[in-house]
Amino acid sequence: MDRVLSGNRPTGRLHIGHLFGVLYNWRDLQDKYECYYEVADWHALTTQWQDTSKIRDNIIDMVIDWLSAGIDPEKSVLFVQSHVREHAELHLVLSMLVSLSRLLRNPTFKEYVAELRIKKQTPKKSVLKTAIKDAVDVFIENAVKELKNGERGFDLDFIAYLRSELQKSFLESFKKALQEEEQEELPYGSLVNYGFLGYPVLQAADILIYKAKYVPVGEDQLPHLELTRELARKFNSLYGEVFPVPEPLIAEIPKVPGIDGRKMSKSYGNSIEIAEPPESIREKVSRMYTDPLKVRKGDPGHPEQCPVFTLHKLFNKEEVPEIKTACEKGQLGCVACKRNLAEKMIAYLEPFREKRAMYEKDKSLVVDILKEGSRKATEVTSKTFADVRRAMKLWE
Ligand code: TRP
Protein backbone atom coordinates (compact mmCIF):
# COMPACT_ATOMS: atom_id res chain seq x y z
CA MET A 1 0.00 0.00 0.00
CA ASP A 2 1.24 3.49 -0.81
CA ARG A 3 2.15 5.67 2.10
CA VAL A 4 0.56 8.98 2.99
CA LEU A 5 1.96 11.51 5.43
CA SER A 6 0.41 14.67 6.73
CA GLY A 7 0.68 16.78 9.83
CA ASN A 8 -0.69 19.63 11.87
CA ARG A 9 1.01 22.00 14.23
CA PRO A 10 -0.45 21.50 17.74
CA THR A 11 -2.55 24.61 18.11
CA GLY A 12 -5.02 23.13 20.61
CA ARG A 13 -8.67 22.52 19.86
CA LEU A 14 -9.54 22.51 16.20
CA HIS A 15 -12.46 24.30 14.54
CA ILE A 16 -15.04 23.27 11.99
CA GLY A 17 -12.85 24.64 9.19
CA HIS A 18 -10.30 21.94 10.11
CA LEU A 19 -13.05 19.34 10.30
CA PHE A 20 -14.30 19.85 6.74
CA GLY A 21 -10.96 20.99 5.33
CA VAL A 22 -8.57 18.44 6.79
CA LEU A 23 -9.93 15.80 9.10
CA TYR A 24 -12.65 14.27 6.90
CA ASN A 25 -10.10 13.99 4.14
CA TRP A 26 -7.59 12.29 6.45
CA ARG A 27 -10.31 9.95 7.69
CA ASP A 28 -11.25 8.85 4.18
CA LEU A 29 -7.64 8.27 3.13
CA GLN A 30 -7.17 5.70 5.89
CA ASP A 31 -8.95 3.01 3.91
CA LYS A 32 -6.87 3.46 0.79
CA TYR A 33 -3.38 4.12 2.08
CA GLU A 34 -0.98 3.45 4.90
CA CYS A 35 -1.37 6.77 6.69
CA TYR A 36 0.98 8.57 9.05
CA TYR A 37 -0.45 11.58 10.85
CA GLU A 38 1.99 13.77 12.65
CA VAL A 39 1.73 16.26 15.48
CA ALA A 40 4.30 18.77 14.27
CA ASP A 41 5.56 20.04 17.60
CA TRP A 42 9.01 21.04 16.30
CA HIS A 43 7.24 23.17 13.73
CA ALA A 44 5.18 24.82 16.44
CA LEU A 45 8.41 25.68 18.21
CA THR A 46 9.76 27.66 15.24
CA THR A 47 7.29 30.45 15.99
CA GLN A 48 6.34 29.77 19.61
CA TRP A 49 9.60 28.97 21.30
CA GLN A 50 9.25 31.60 24.04
CA ASP A 51 6.19 30.15 25.72
CA THR A 52 6.27 26.38 25.64
CA SER A 53 3.98 25.86 28.60
CA LYS A 54 0.92 24.98 26.54
CA ILE A 55 2.42 22.67 23.93
CA ARG A 56 1.66 19.46 25.80
CA ASP A 57 -1.98 20.36 26.46
CA ASN A 58 -2.35 21.61 22.90
CA ILE A 59 -1.13 18.27 21.57
CA ILE A 60 -3.64 16.30 23.62
CA ASP A 61 -6.44 18.72 22.75
CA MET A 62 -5.75 18.53 19.04
CA VAL A 63 -5.39 14.77 18.93
CA ILE A 64 -8.73 14.38 20.75
CA ASP A 65 -10.32 16.22 17.82
CA TRP A 66 -8.52 13.93 15.36
CA LEU A 67 -9.85 10.88 17.17
CA SER A 68 -13.37 12.29 17.43
CA ALA A 69 -13.40 12.87 13.69
CA GLY A 70 -12.65 9.24 12.99
CA ILE A 71 -8.88 9.21 12.64
CA ASP A 72 -8.42 5.67 13.82
CA PRO A 73 -5.25 4.48 15.54
CA GLU A 74 -6.06 0.94 14.41
CA LYS A 75 -5.77 2.04 10.81
CA SER A 76 -3.28 4.91 10.92
CA VAL A 77 -0.17 5.84 12.80
CA LEU A 78 -0.65 8.93 14.98
CA PHE A 79 2.57 10.25 16.41
CA VAL A 80 4.46 13.20 17.82
CA GLN A 81 7.24 14.54 15.61
CA SER A 82 9.74 15.23 18.39
CA HIS A 83 9.33 11.67 19.71
CA VAL A 84 10.64 10.28 16.45
CA ARG A 85 14.18 11.51 16.36
CA GLU A 86 14.98 10.84 12.71
CA HIS A 87 12.82 13.85 11.68
CA ALA A 88 15.37 16.17 13.24
CA GLU A 89 18.31 14.16 11.92
CA LEU A 90 17.11 14.15 8.34
CA HIS A 91 16.28 17.84 8.63
CA LEU A 92 19.92 18.49 9.42
CA VAL A 93 21.09 16.50 6.43
CA LEU A 94 18.64 18.20 4.07
CA SER A 95 19.60 21.64 5.35
CA MET A 96 22.94 21.18 3.55
CA LEU A 97 21.21 20.61 0.23
CA VAL A 98 19.27 23.86 0.01
CA SER A 99 20.60 27.36 -0.53
CA LEU A 100 19.79 30.30 1.67
CA SER A 101 18.34 32.24 -1.23
CA ARG A 102 15.98 29.39 -2.08
CA LEU A 103 14.58 29.56 1.44
CA LEU A 104 14.39 33.33 1.49
CA ARG A 105 12.26 33.16 -1.65
CA ASN A 106 9.72 30.83 -0.07
CA PRO A 107 6.34 32.64 -0.12
CA THR A 108 5.30 31.47 3.35
CA PHE A 109 8.51 32.90 4.72
CA LYS A 110 8.05 36.20 2.92
CA GLU A 111 4.51 36.53 4.12
CA TYR A 112 5.43 35.79 7.72
CA VAL A 113 8.23 38.32 7.65
CA ALA A 114 5.94 40.93 6.11
CA GLU A 115 3.45 40.38 8.93
CA LEU A 116 6.15 40.67 11.56
CA ARG A 117 7.36 43.89 10.02
CA ILE A 118 3.89 45.40 10.04
CA LYS A 119 3.61 44.49 13.69
CA LYS A 120 7.03 45.86 14.57
CA GLN A 121 6.76 48.72 12.09
CA THR A 122 10.09 48.41 10.34
CA PRO A 123 9.30 49.29 6.71
CA LYS A 124 11.23 51.80 4.64
CA LYS A 125 9.54 55.07 3.59
CA SER A 126 9.48 54.07 -0.07
CA VAL A 127 7.53 50.96 0.81
CA LEU A 128 4.97 52.98 2.70
CA LYS A 129 4.56 55.34 -0.25
CA THR A 130 3.92 52.57 -2.77
CA ALA A 131 1.54 50.86 -0.40
CA ILE A 132 -0.50 54.00 0.23
CA LYS A 133 -0.77 54.78 -3.45
CA ASP A 134 -1.89 51.26 -4.35
CA ALA A 135 -4.36 51.12 -1.48
CA VAL A 136 -6.01 54.40 -2.40
CA ASP A 137 -6.37 53.31 -6.03
CA VAL A 138 -8.05 50.04 -5.14
CA PHE A 139 -10.24 51.69 -2.56
CA ILE A 140 -11.52 54.47 -4.80
CA GLU A 141 -12.29 51.99 -7.55
CA ASN A 142 -14.35 49.80 -5.20
CA ALA A 143 -16.18 52.67 -3.55
CA VAL A 144 -17.15 54.17 -6.90
CA LYS A 145 -18.41 50.79 -8.08
CA GLU A 146 -20.61 50.38 -4.98
CA LEU A 147 -22.09 53.85 -5.40
CA LYS A 148 -22.68 53.44 -9.13
CA ASN A 149 -24.47 50.17 -8.51
CA GLY A 150 -26.90 52.33 -6.63
CA GLU A 151 -27.70 49.64 -4.10
CA ARG A 152 -26.37 51.75 -1.27
CA GLY A 153 -27.16 55.21 -0.08
CA PHE A 154 -24.55 57.51 1.33
CA ASP A 155 -25.38 56.94 4.99
CA LEU A 156 -23.54 56.12 8.22
CA ASP A 157 -23.43 52.44 7.33
CA PHE A 158 -21.77 53.24 4.07
CA ILE A 159 -19.18 55.41 5.77
CA ALA A 160 -18.37 52.59 8.19
CA TYR A 161 -18.07 50.28 5.23
CA LEU A 162 -15.71 52.70 3.47
CA ARG A 163 -13.56 53.02 6.53
CA SER A 164 -13.13 49.29 6.91
CA GLU A 165 -12.53 48.85 3.18
CA LEU A 166 -9.79 51.45 3.23
CA GLN A 167 -8.10 49.82 6.19
CA LYS A 168 -8.32 46.44 4.53
CA SER A 169 -6.93 47.57 1.21
CA PHE A 170 -4.14 49.47 2.92
CA LEU A 171 -3.01 46.47 4.93
CA GLU A 172 -3.14 44.29 1.83
CA SER A 173 -1.06 46.58 -0.31
CA PHE A 174 1.30 47.25 2.57
CA LYS A 175 1.95 43.56 2.90
CA LYS A 176 2.44 43.23 -0.83
CA ALA A 177 4.85 46.14 -0.98
CA LEU A 178 6.89 44.68 1.87
CA GLN A 179 7.10 41.34 0.16
CA GLU A 180 8.23 42.90 -3.09
CA GLU A 181 10.84 45.08 -1.54
CA GLU A 182 14.23 44.03 -2.89
CA GLN A 183 17.17 44.86 -0.70
CA GLU A 184 20.81 44.02 -0.49
CA GLU A 185 20.91 43.24 3.17
CA LEU A 186 17.96 41.78 5.06
CA PRO A 187 16.08 44.59 6.75
CA TYR A 188 14.31 42.02 8.90
CA GLY A 189 17.43 40.08 9.84
CA SER A 190 16.93 40.43 13.56
CA LEU A 191 13.18 39.79 13.53
CA VAL A 192 13.24 36.20 12.43
CA ASN A 193 15.15 33.21 13.71
CA TYR A 194 17.27 30.64 11.93
CA GLY A 195 14.87 27.82 12.80
CA PHE A 196 11.91 29.40 11.07
CA LEU A 197 13.80 29.79 7.82
CA GLY A 198 14.27 26.03 7.86
CA TYR A 199 10.57 25.31 8.46
CA PRO A 200 9.97 23.87 4.98
CA VAL A 201 13.19 21.83 5.17
CA LEU A 202 11.90 20.22 8.35
CA GLN A 203 8.60 19.58 6.59
CA ALA A 204 10.50 17.93 3.74
CA ALA A 205 12.22 15.69 6.29
CA ASP A 206 8.80 14.77 7.77
CA ILE A 207 7.63 13.54 4.41
CA LEU A 208 10.79 11.94 3.06
CA ILE A 209 11.68 10.03 6.22
CA TYR A 210 8.53 7.91 5.57
CA LYS A 211 9.23 7.66 1.83
CA ALA A 212 5.67 8.89 1.52
CA LYS A 213 4.13 8.88 -1.92
CA TYR A 214 1.25 11.26 -1.23
CA VAL A 215 0.85 14.30 0.97
CA PRO A 216 -2.66 15.62 1.53
CA VAL A 217 -2.30 19.36 2.04
CA GLY A 218 -4.08 22.61 1.36
CA GLU A 219 -3.03 24.98 -1.43
CA ASP A 220 -1.05 27.09 1.01
CA GLN A 221 1.35 24.20 1.57
CA LEU A 222 2.17 23.58 -2.09
CA PRO A 223 5.38 25.64 -2.06
CA HIS A 224 6.61 23.44 0.78
CA LEU A 225 5.80 20.34 -1.17
CA GLU A 226 7.65 21.71 -4.16
CA LEU A 227 10.75 22.18 -2.02
CA THR A 228 10.33 18.62 -0.70
CA ARG A 229 10.33 17.32 -4.25
CA GLU A 230 13.45 19.33 -5.10
CA LEU A 231 15.23 17.99 -2.05
CA ALA A 232 14.30 14.39 -2.84
CA ARG A 233 15.72 14.75 -6.36
CA LYS A 234 18.80 16.53 -5.13
CA PHE A 235 19.54 13.87 -2.54
CA ASN A 236 18.96 11.05 -5.02
CA SER A 237 21.20 12.58 -7.65
CA LEU A 238 24.01 13.25 -5.19
CA TYR A 239 24.00 10.02 -3.20
CA GLY A 240 21.82 7.50 -5.06
CA GLU A 241 18.10 6.69 -5.13
CA VAL A 242 16.70 6.72 -1.61
CA PHE A 243 13.58 8.85 -1.75
CA PRO A 244 10.48 8.61 -3.93
CA VAL A 245 9.44 12.07 -5.13
CA PRO A 246 6.16 12.74 -3.29
CA GLU A 247 3.03 14.24 -4.75
CA PRO A 248 0.39 16.48 -3.22
CA LEU A 249 -3.12 15.16 -2.79
CA ILE A 250 -5.44 18.09 -3.11
CA ALA A 251 -8.94 17.26 -1.97
CA GLU A 252 -11.96 19.22 -2.95
CA ILE A 253 -12.34 21.23 0.17
CA PRO A 254 -15.49 23.17 0.94
CA LYS A 255 -14.88 26.72 2.02
CA VAL A 256 -15.80 27.23 5.64
CA PRO A 257 -16.42 30.86 6.53
CA GLY A 258 -15.87 32.20 10.02
CA ILE A 259 -18.53 34.16 11.87
CA ASP A 260 -17.27 37.40 10.28
CA GLY A 261 -17.52 35.98 6.76
CA ARG A 262 -13.75 35.70 6.25
CA LYS A 263 -12.07 32.31 6.02
CA MET A 264 -12.34 30.55 9.38
CA SER A 265 -9.08 30.89 11.24
CA LYS A 266 -8.12 30.78 14.88
CA SER A 267 -5.93 33.85 14.42
CA TYR A 268 -8.89 35.91 13.14
CA GLY A 269 -10.90 35.06 16.26
CA ASN A 270 -13.83 34.06 14.03
CA SER A 271 -13.93 30.31 14.59
CA ILE A 272 -16.38 27.79 15.97
CA GLU A 273 -14.69 24.81 17.57
CA ILE A 274 -15.56 21.22 16.77
CA ALA A 275 -16.40 20.69 20.43
CA GLU A 276 -17.90 24.15 20.99
CA PRO A 277 -20.56 23.98 23.75
CA PRO A 278 -24.18 24.47 22.58
CA GLU A 279 -24.75 27.83 24.34
CA SER A 280 -21.64 29.16 22.73
CA ILE A 281 -22.65 27.91 19.26
CA ARG A 282 -25.96 29.75 19.65
CA GLU A 283 -24.22 32.91 20.72
CA LYS A 284 -21.63 32.84 17.93
CA VAL A 285 -24.11 32.01 15.18
CA SER A 286 -26.39 34.81 16.33
CA ARG A 287 -23.50 37.23 15.83
CA MET A 288 -22.71 35.96 12.35
CA TYR A 289 -22.21 38.32 9.47
CA THR A 290 -24.97 38.00 6.83
CA ASP A 291 -25.77 39.37 3.41
CA PRO A 292 -25.24 43.16 3.88
CA LEU A 293 -27.97 44.01 1.35
CA LYS A 294 -30.60 42.22 3.39
CA VAL A 295 -31.36 44.70 6.14
CA ARG A 296 -34.93 43.90 7.09
CA LYS A 297 -36.74 40.60 7.19
CA GLY A 298 -38.78 41.34 4.07
CA ASP A 299 -35.75 42.23 1.92
CA PRO A 300 -34.77 39.64 -0.65
CA GLY A 301 -31.48 37.96 0.28
CA HIS A 302 -28.49 36.68 -1.69
CA PRO A 303 -27.83 33.32 -0.03
CA GLU A 304 -24.84 32.46 -2.20
CA GLN A 305 -23.01 35.42 -0.68
CA CYS A 306 -24.08 34.73 2.87
CA PRO A 307 -21.81 32.80 5.25
CA VAL A 308 -24.82 31.57 7.23
CA PHE A 309 -26.10 29.88 4.09
CA THR A 310 -22.68 28.34 3.43
CA LEU A 311 -22.84 26.73 6.86
CA HIS A 312 -26.37 25.45 6.16
CA LYS A 313 -24.85 23.62 3.20
CA LEU A 314 -22.49 21.81 5.55
CA PHE A 315 -24.66 21.18 8.58
CA ASN A 316 -28.19 21.22 7.24
CA LYS A 317 -28.10 19.81 3.71
CA GLU A 318 -31.76 18.77 3.55
CA GLU A 319 -33.18 22.22 4.05
CA VAL A 320 -30.82 24.00 1.67
CA PRO A 321 -33.26 24.29 -1.29
CA GLU A 322 -36.13 25.68 0.80
CA ILE A 323 -33.87 28.07 2.71
CA LYS A 324 -32.47 29.36 -0.55
CA THR A 325 -35.89 30.03 -2.02
CA ALA A 326 -37.34 31.55 1.14
CA CYS A 327 -34.32 33.81 1.62
CA GLU A 328 -34.36 34.99 -1.98
CA LYS A 329 -38.05 35.75 -1.78
CA GLY A 330 -37.61 37.73 1.40
CA GLN A 331 -39.78 35.29 3.35
CA LEU A 332 -37.07 34.13 5.71
CA GLY A 333 -35.52 36.51 8.22
CA CYS A 334 -31.89 36.22 9.23
CA VAL A 335 -32.66 35.76 12.91
CA ALA A 336 -34.82 32.69 12.31
CA CYS A 337 -32.38 31.37 9.75
CA LYS A 338 -29.51 31.61 12.24
CA ARG A 339 -31.50 30.02 15.06
CA ASN A 340 -32.25 27.09 12.83
CA LEU A 341 -28.59 26.77 11.82
CA ALA A 342 -27.38 26.87 15.42
CA GLU A 343 -29.67 23.98 16.42
CA LYS A 344 -28.58 21.92 13.41
CA MET A 345 -24.92 22.51 14.23
CA ILE A 346 -25.46 21.58 17.85
CA ALA A 347 -27.03 18.28 16.83
CA TYR A 348 -24.39 17.53 14.19
CA LEU A 349 -21.51 18.18 16.57
CA GLU A 350 -22.99 16.33 19.54
CA PRO A 351 -21.09 13.04 18.94
CA PHE A 352 -17.85 15.01 18.76
CA ARG A 353 -18.52 16.60 22.13
CA GLU A 354 -19.30 13.19 23.59
CA LYS A 355 -16.08 11.66 22.34
CA ARG A 356 -14.13 14.60 23.69
CA ALA A 357 -15.74 14.21 27.10
CA MET A 358 -14.73 10.56 27.12
CA TYR A 359 -11.07 11.23 26.28
CA GLU A 360 -10.91 14.15 28.67
CA LYS A 361 -11.94 11.89 31.50
CA ASP A 362 -8.97 9.69 30.74
CA LYS A 363 -6.24 11.45 28.83
CA SER A 364 -3.89 8.52 29.29
CA LEU A 365 -5.82 6.90 26.44
CA VAL A 366 -4.53 9.60 24.14
CA VAL A 367 -1.04 9.47 25.56
CA ASP A 368 -0.91 5.71 24.96
CA ILE A 369 -2.08 6.09 21.37
CA LEU A 370 0.67 8.61 20.67
CA LYS A 371 3.30 6.50 22.39
CA GLU A 372 2.38 3.46 20.38
CA GLY A 373 2.22 5.58 17.19
CA SER A 374 5.65 7.03 17.80
CA ARG A 375 7.01 3.50 18.30
CA LYS A 376 5.49 2.33 15.01
CA ALA A 377 6.71 5.44 13.22
CA THR A 378 10.23 4.86 14.47
CA GLU A 379 10.27 1.40 12.89
CA VAL A 380 9.98 3.12 9.51
CA THR A 381 12.14 6.16 10.14
CA SER A 382 15.08 4.25 11.59
CA LYS A 383 15.19 2.11 8.44
CA THR A 384 15.06 5.15 6.17
CA PHE A 385 17.76 6.90 8.10
CA ALA A 386 19.96 3.82 7.85
CA ASP A 387 19.48 4.06 4.07
CA VAL A 388 20.51 7.70 4.24
CA ARG A 389 23.69 6.91 6.15
CA ARG A 390 24.57 4.15 3.75
CA ALA A 391 23.91 6.27 0.67
CA MET A 392 25.95 9.14 2.08
CA LYS A 393 28.75 6.84 3.20
CA LEU A 394 28.51 8.20 6.72
CA TRP A 395 30.24 6.11 9.34
CA GLU A 396 27.63 3.61 10.48
N1 TRP B 1 3.23 23.03 7.75
C1 TRP B 1 2.01 22.29 7.92
C2 TRP B 1 0.90 23.28 8.31
O1 TRP B 1 1.17 24.32 8.87
C3 TRP B 1 2.12 21.24 8.99
C4 TRP B 1 3.08 20.16 8.61
C5 TRP B 1 4.25 19.86 9.23
C6 TRP B 1 2.92 19.24 7.54
N2 TRP B 1 4.85 18.81 8.63
C7 TRP B 1 4.07 18.40 7.59
C8 TRP B 1 1.95 19.04 6.56
C9 TRP B 1 4.26 17.40 6.65
C10 TRP B 1 2.14 18.03 5.62
C11 TRP B 1 3.30 17.22 5.67
O2 TRP B 1 -0.25 22.99 8.08
Side-chain angles (χ1 to χ4, degrees), residues 102-308:
R102 174 67 182 85
L103 295 177
L104 291 167
R105 261 189 283 123
N106 169 29
T108 323
F109 179 78
K110 293 206 311 194
E111 198 171 306
Y112 178 73
V113 167
E115 260 159 37
L116 275 182
R117 296 186 66 198
I118 290 173
K119 249 193 238 156
K120 311 254 170 163
Q121 309 189 332
T122 65
K124 283 210 317 195
K125 271 217 185 93
S126 60
V127 173
L128 261 175
K129 269 194 194 149
T130 330
I132 290 172
K133 187 186 164 303
D134 287 353
V136 170
D137 288 350
V138 171
F139 167 73
I140 296 285
E141 197 179 302
N142 286 344
V144 169
K145 222 188 279 164
E146 284 276 324
L147 273 179
K148 271 200 186 142
N149 276 348
E151 296 194 32
R152 323 193 60 131
F154 206 96
D155 51 15
L156 281 180
D157 256 10
F158 188 58
I159 290 170
Y161 164 82
L162 291 180
R163 185 168 287 136
S164 90
E165 281 299 297
L166 183 55
Q167 278 171 3
K168 245 196 311 196
S169 80
F170 179 65
L171 270 178
E172 289 278 305
S173 60
F174 193 17
K175 217 156 94 184
K176 218 171 107 220
L178 276 173
Q179 283 175 46
E180 281 167 5
E181 180 189 20
E182 294 278 355
Q183 294 214 358
E184 298 296 303
E185 96 257 49
L186 307 177
Y188 49 82
S190 60
L191 284 180
V192 58
N193 62 7
Y194 161 64
F196 185 76
L197 187 65
Y199 184 111
V201 184
L202 179 57
Q203 187 162 341
D206 292 345
I207 297 164
L208 298 180
I209 198 74
Y210 295 91
K211 302 189 178 181
K213 175 134 190 228
Y214 297 114
V215 186
V217 283
E219 298 257 342
D220 62 319
Q221 296 292 312
L222 287 181
H224 293 170
L225 207 79
E226 200 39 54
L227 180 71
T228 306
R229 293 162 55 83
E230 286 169 35
L231 283 168
R233 289 195 208 100
K234 181 94 185 252
F235 186 99
N236 292 345
S237 74
L238 278 173
Y239 308 114
E241 284 292 319
V242 171
F243 299 116
V245 179
E247 283 166 37
L249 267 187
I250 310 248
E252 238 187 79
I253 289 168
K255 254 206 271 159
V256 183
I259 62 173
D260 59 358
R262 292 188 291 175
K263 180 179 180 221
M264 187 171 289
S265 160
K266 191 166 179 168
S267 59
Y268 290 162
N270 65 0
S271 56
I272 298 176
E273 288 174 359
I274 295 172
E276 191 90 37
E279 340 45 283
S280 167
I281 293 182
R282 286 191 193 103
E283 190 271 327
K284 286 187 175 176
V285 172
S286 77
R287 278 197 283 128
M288 269 185 83
Y289 174 102
T290 51
D291 171 10
L293 297 176
K294 182 167 163 63
V295 182
R296 273 168 228 92
K297 182 178 166 193
D299 295 345
H302 306 80
E304 295 301 345
Q305 283 139 51
C306 178
V308 173

